[in-house]
Amino acid sequence: QVQLEESGGGEVDSGGSLTLSCVASGRHPHAYAMGWFRQAPGKEHEFVVAINWNGLTYYRESVKGRFTISRDNAKNTVYLEMNSLNPEDTAIYSCASGTWPLTRATMVNSWGQGTRVTVSS
């Protein structure tokens, strides 16, 4: 079982940037794909981005060119750099670990507790 702990959420103005971090611990965390899902108020949980153990990435179309995921396997940490944020990005962002491509909740084995991102217009 892998445990995940996120940090880095907060409030930012439209057009601003935030970086989220997710530290994995437990059994062989580097062996799994890691990524982020989000849930906006009143909306369904949705996939955002994933990265596998060798750096292959997969992005939700609406965040391509604005968000960048990276992974430091030595630190068992995944980073999500979010630029050009807009109010539609406001959500609870949850770190996830599981099976590549990690695009659906059924592929997730472990979830973080979530961190709130608020983008003001």
Side-chain angles (χ1 to χ4, degrees):
Q1 186 72 10
V2 174
Q3 292 79 46
L4 305 173
E5 183 172 355
E6 305 105 329
S7 61
E11 185 169 353
V12 64
D13 291 335
S14 185
S17 300
L18 282 174
T19 297
L20 307 181
S21 299
C22 176
V23 179
S25 60
R27 189 172 178 83
H28 306 307
H30 58 278
Y32 297 96
M34 292 182 69
W36 298 86
F37 286 71
R38 68 186 180 186
Q39 186 166 22
K43 295 188 177 181
E44 295 185 356
H45 204 221
E46 64 182 21
F47 165 79
V48 179
V49 60
I51 186 169
N52 74 356
W53 67 272
N54 64 359
L56 184 65
T57 59
Y58 189 85
Y59 290 87
R60 180 179 192 81
E61 190 65 33
S62 62
V63 307
K64 284 182 180 178
R66 301 189 300 121
F67 290 13
T68 302
I69 190 170
S70 60
R71 180 169 186 164
D72 185 337
N73 286 333
K75 296 182 178 180
N76 292 327
T77 301
V78 170
Y79 304 96
L80 180 60
E81 180 181 349
M82 304 184 293
N83 298 311
S84 301
L85 285 162
N86 59 64
E88 288 70 40
D89 295 315
T90 294
I92 303 289
Y93 285 71
S94 298
C95 183
S97 174
T99 305
W100 180 257
L102 206 66
T103 53
R104 293 190 294 274
T106 53
M107 299 176 177
V108 177
N109 296 325
S110 299
W111 292 98
Q113 79 282 1
T115 186
R116 184 179 300 274
V117 171
T118 302
V119 185
S120 302
S121 58

